[in-house]
Amino acid sequence: MPEPDGPRGLAKLALRDQLLTARRRRSLDEVGEAARAIAEHLLGSTEVRRAATVSCYVSVGNEPGTTALLDLLVAGGKRVILPVLLPDNDLDWGVYHGDTALAPAGRGLLEPVGTRLGADAVATADAVLLPGLAVSPTGDRLGRGGGSYDRALARVPVGTFTCVLLYSDETGKPVPTEPHDRPVAAAVTPEGIVRF
């Protein structure tokens, strides 16, 4: 579901460019500190503590890091499922079995090796942790523009904890929305969790 041309699509593109530029300027120390703080907030949250299955992702580049978070979730007895990008930009899912069971995929991503669970597997997650570039004060999330996570969120049962991982200055943004966009229930930053 790539964004159509038009005022909202162009506004998303401009905001996305601005946010990606800001991310490229972040130091490795800042990225690492943010990853540790975000992991601490999520692991301390009621929603993640109670979850048997957590959907997450492998961070790339200057995204808020998930490497330690993934291992801490598994160490805490959680079943962690990770996305596998399909040719049509939809997401399949696989179980995370440690960083040695990840393989390079397209677009610089890392994906779990092994059995695929199907696109509907995300509906089995008790907590869905997802990437993004910004979130509005009401939970409208700006992603990278492929629509992958909007499709996945459409499969998640109402009431499931859905949380985007961001830096503090990426929250409270005026995110333009389109009919296919799906809001999230929360955002986590190094400062804590904001629920919408």
Side-chain angles (χ1 to χ4, degrees), residues 33-81:
E33 288 171 20
R36 285 186 288 280
I38 286 171
E40 185 177 311
H41 294 307
L42 286 170
L43 294 168
S45 73
T46 302
E47 296 91 348
V48 173
R49 275 198 329 266
R50 291 182 178 169
T53 298
V54 177
S55 161
C56 198
Y57 63 98
V58 179
S59 58
V60 294
N62 283 359
E63 288 182 329
T66 60
T67 305
L69 174 62
L70 291 170
D71 291 332
L72 290 167
L73 287 167
V74 170
K78 312 293 180 198
R79 176 179 178 252
V80 177
I81 60 173

Side-chain angles (χ1 to χ4, degrees), residues 1-194:
M1 263 178 266
E3 269 126 35
D5 292 330
R8 289 178 191 261
L10 293 174
K12 281 184 172 181
L13 193 59
L15 181 57
R16 195 174 285 121
D17 286 347
Q18 173 190 357
L19 293 162
L20 287 169
T21 298
R23 278 195 176 176
R24 283 191 288 275
R25 293 183 178 140
R26 295 188 190 277
S27 70
L28 288 178
D29 285 344
E30 184 181 356
V31 172
E33 288 171 20
R36 285 186 288 280
I38 286 171
E40 185 177 311
H41 294 307
L42 286 170
L43 294 168
S45 73
T46 302
E47 296 91 348
V48 173
R49 275 198 329 266
R50 291 182 178 169
T53 298
V54 177
S55 161
C56 198
Y57 63 98
V58 179
S59 58
V60 294
N62 283 359
E63 288 182 329
T66 60
T67 305
L69 174 62
L70 291 170
D71 291 332
L72 290 167
L73 287 167
V74 170
K78 312 293 180 198
R79 176 179 178 252
V80 177
I81 60 173
L82 301 176
V84 176
L85 186 64
L86 298 173
D88 67 354
N89 278 343
D90 206 347
L91 297 176
D92 198 338
W93 300 87
V95 176
Y96 176 64
H97 294 290
D99 61 359
T100 58
L102 295 173
R107 301 184 191 178
L109 301 173
L110 291 173
E111 297 176 345
V113 296
T115 305
R116 298 291 177 247
L117 305 173
D120 291 332
V122 69
T124 68
D126 305 299
V128 177
L129 309 178
L130 61 153
L133 294 172
V135 71
S136 76
T138 57
D140 295 314
R141 175 189 152 272
L142 179 69
R144 296 238 180 197
S148 301
Y149 275 95
D150 290 312
R151 290 187 214 179
L153 287 171
R155 298 179 178 110
V156 174
V158 173
T160 301
F161 181 67
T162 55
C163 184
V164 60
L165 282 62
L166 298 170
Y167 295 103
S168 302
D169 58 357
E170 297 171 340
T171 64
K173 298 287 186 185
V175 174
T177 60
E178 296 177 87
H180 68 268
D181 291 327
R182 304 289 177 163
V184 292
V188 61
T189 71
E191 277 66 48
I193 298 175
V194 177

